[in-house]
Amino acid sequence: MATKIYHDSDADLNILKGKKIAVIGYGNQGRAQALCLHDSGLDVVVGARRNGESWGQASSDGLKVAEIPAAVKGADVVMVLLPDEVQPGVYKQQIAPNLKEGAALEFAHGFAITFKCIAPPAKNDVIMVAPKSPGRMVRQTYLEGFGVPSLIAVQQDATGKAKQVALALAKGLGSTKAGVLETDFREEATSDLFGEQAVLCGGVTALIEAGFETLVKAGYKPEIAYFEVLHELKLIVDLIQAGGMMHMWDSVSNTAEFGGLTRRDAVINDESKKAMKKILEDINSGKFAKEWSEEWKVDLKNMKRLEKEESEKQVEAVGKDIRALFERK
C-alpha cells in the first residue's frame, strides 16, 4: 500500500485561528517554526528565560515573549522545541504545572515520549510535527513560498482532533506544500537515531576521517586528501538528493562509476552491516537512550571530551585553512 502524502487541501489552518500557541525553545527549530507560524497568521508566544539570549532574539524578531510558565498557561498548543537533554527537566518544573487540560503537547522529535523521559497527562493530545530539515532551511523555504517535507504523528488523541491540529501546524510551516507523511513516535525516533548514528553523522564522518588518514599515511598531501574525501562530498550528495543514486552515477565519469560500484563492498561489507544492525538493536532496546540520559547527568562530560578530540584532528585543521582560501574578501 502506498504511503499517503498530505498536502494543503488535507489541512485546515483555521483550526488554530484564535488559539494560543506556545513555542518553548528558540534555537534552530524553535525560531524557524515560531516565525513561520506567526507569518501564517497564528497567535504565537515564545517561552524563554527573562533577559536571556532567546528572549532578546525573539523580541527583536517581533514575537511575543514570556517566561515559560506564563507562555504555557492558557496555551492551546505547547510546542516543546528544546534539546532532548533539556526537555524532561523543563517539562516537569515549568510546563506540566501550567499545562491546560485538553491542550496539545507537540514535539519535533519522538525521543522524549518514546523513551518515557516525559509522561504527559491522559487528558492532553500528544502530537509530533517533524520537519525533515534543519531550522534554517525550514525558514528559508517558507520565505520562498514553499516548505520542507514533514512527518506527523499522534501518540495520544484526547480531544479527537489531534491529527487535525498536527496537520494544521504542518501547514503553518509550509510543509503541506511539499508533502507530509504520517508515522508514529517510535518509528520516527528510532529511525532518526539510526540515520544519525550509522549514516548521516556518525557513519559519514568516520568514513571521511578514515579516507583522509589512509591517503595522508600513504604520503599524499593533506590538502589533496581533504579535497578528495571531504570537499567533493557535497557535490555527490547534492546529485543523489536531486535525482537518486542513478542520477549520481549518470553524472560522474564512467571511471568513477565503475570504481565505485566494484569497490564499495570492500568498505561497507557484511561486518559493517552487522555493526549497523547492532546500532539499531541498541536504539530499539533503549540501551542508547539510557546511555544518553546518563550523559545528561554528568553535564555531557563524555560528549565534550569527544568533541575536543574531534576538533584536534588533522582533517579539521587542514579544512579550516582550505575553507579560508575560498572566503570572499
Side-chain angles (χ1 to χ4, degrees):
M1 182 185 295
T3 302
K4 178 172 174 54
I5 299 177
Y6 296 94
H7 290 290
D8 276 350
S9 60
D10 300 304
D12 183 5
L13 206 57
N14 289 320
I15 289 171
L16 297 174
K17 291 292 173 72
K19 305 292 186 181
K20 177 183 176 183
I21 301 172
V23 176
I24 312 303
Y26 204 67
N28 189 329
Q29 285 290 341
R31 182 173 186 240
Q33 294 194 33
L35 287 169
C36 292
L37 294 174
H38 173 267
D39 289 353
S40 291
L42 302 177
D43 179 14
V44 175
V45 57
V46 174
R49 267 189 313 109
R50 183 174 291 279
N51 300 324
E53 184 179 339
S54 293
W55 185 289
Q57 179 69 70
S59 296
S60 66
D61 285 340
L63 297 176
K64 293 186 290 186
V65 194
E67 292 186 341
I68 293 174
V72 172
K73 196 165 291 185
D76 300 284
V77 179
V78 178
M79 302 175 67
V80 185
L81 301 181
L82 298 159
D84 288 335
E85 66 270 22
V86 176
Q87 287 183 20
V90 173
Y91 176 79
K92 181 178 180 180
Q93 296 162 19
Q94 302 185 66
I95 296 176
N98 300 288
L99 189 62
K100 182 173 78 172
E101 184 177 311
L105 197 59
E106 190 267 354
F107 297 83
H109 179 38
F111 187 94
I113 297 298
T114 298
F115 298 106
K116 297 179 171 51
C117 302
I118 291 175
K123 293 184 179 180
N124 290 87
D125 292 342
V126 180
I127 59 176
M128 176 172 58
V129 179
K132 302 315 292 177
S133 165
R136 180 179 62 82
M137 288 306 299
V138 171
R139 183 60 178 159
Q140 180 181 318
T141 311
Y142 177 93
L143 291 173
E144 291 169 354
F146 199 56
V148 302
S150 282
L151 302 178
I152 63 163
V154 175
Q155 177 76 8
Q156 202 164 273
D157 187 6
T159 66
K161 297 180 179 178
K163 185 173 177 178
Q164 292 172 275
V165 171
L167 282 169
L169 289 170
K171 186 170 186 174
L173 299 177
S175 288
T176 47
K177 286 182 166 59
V180 173
L181 281 72
E182 191 167 7
T183 183
D184 59 63
F185 272 68
R186 171 164 283 277
E187 183 177 54
E188 188 281 333
T190 54
S191 62
D192 189 65
L193 290 170
F194 176 79
E196 292 166 351
Q197 294 172 26
V199 182
L200 304 177
C201 303
V204 166
T205 52
L207 192 63
I208 290 169
E209 290 173 5
F212 179 85
E213 290 171 9
T214 299
L215 286 173
V216 171
K217 286 179 180 178
Y220 292 82
K221 295 182 182 68
E223 294 79 8
I224 298 299
Y226 179 89
F227 272 110
E228 295 302 337
V229 303
L230 195 157
H231 180 80
E232 291 189 37
L233 180 64
K234 182 181 184 303
L235 307 177
I236 299 301
V237 171
D238 284 349
L239 288 171
I240 294 171
Q241 186 183 56
M245 302 287 191
M246 286 309 304
H247 175 65
M248 182 273 290
W249 291 129
D250 289 342
S251 301
V252 300
S253 70
N254 287 338
T255 307
E257 182 176 2
F258 179 77
L261 288 172
T262 59
R263 299 299 193 273
R264 63 184 182 179
D265 288 349
V267 179
I268 306 300
N269 49 34
D270 287 342
E271 288 303 308
S272 308
K273 292 171 185 176
K274 285 179 186 176
M276 286 186 175
K277 184 179 179 183
K278 179 64 166 60
I279 287 172
L280 185 57
E281 288 171 353
D282 285 351
I283 290 168
N284 279 318
S285 70
K287 182 178 178 181
F288 170 76
K290 182 179 179 182
E291 183 181 334
W292 179 218
S293 298
E294 290 297 317
E295 184 72 8
W296 307 346
K297 297 175 184 176
V298 294
D299 194 30
L300 309 185
K301 177 182 176 182
N302 296 308
M303 193 178 85
K304 290 173 183 175
R305 172 181 56 78
L306 293 169
E307 279 182 344
K308 185 174 186 297
E309 292 174 1
E310 187 86 343
S311 71
E312 293 170 350
K313 289 180 178 175
Q314 186 181 16
V315 67
E316 278 293 280
V318 172
K320 184 177 181 181
D321 291 340
I322 287 177
R323 289 189 296 274
L325 298 175
F326 294 95
E327 290 179 0
R328 296 186 180 182
K329 307 299 182 183

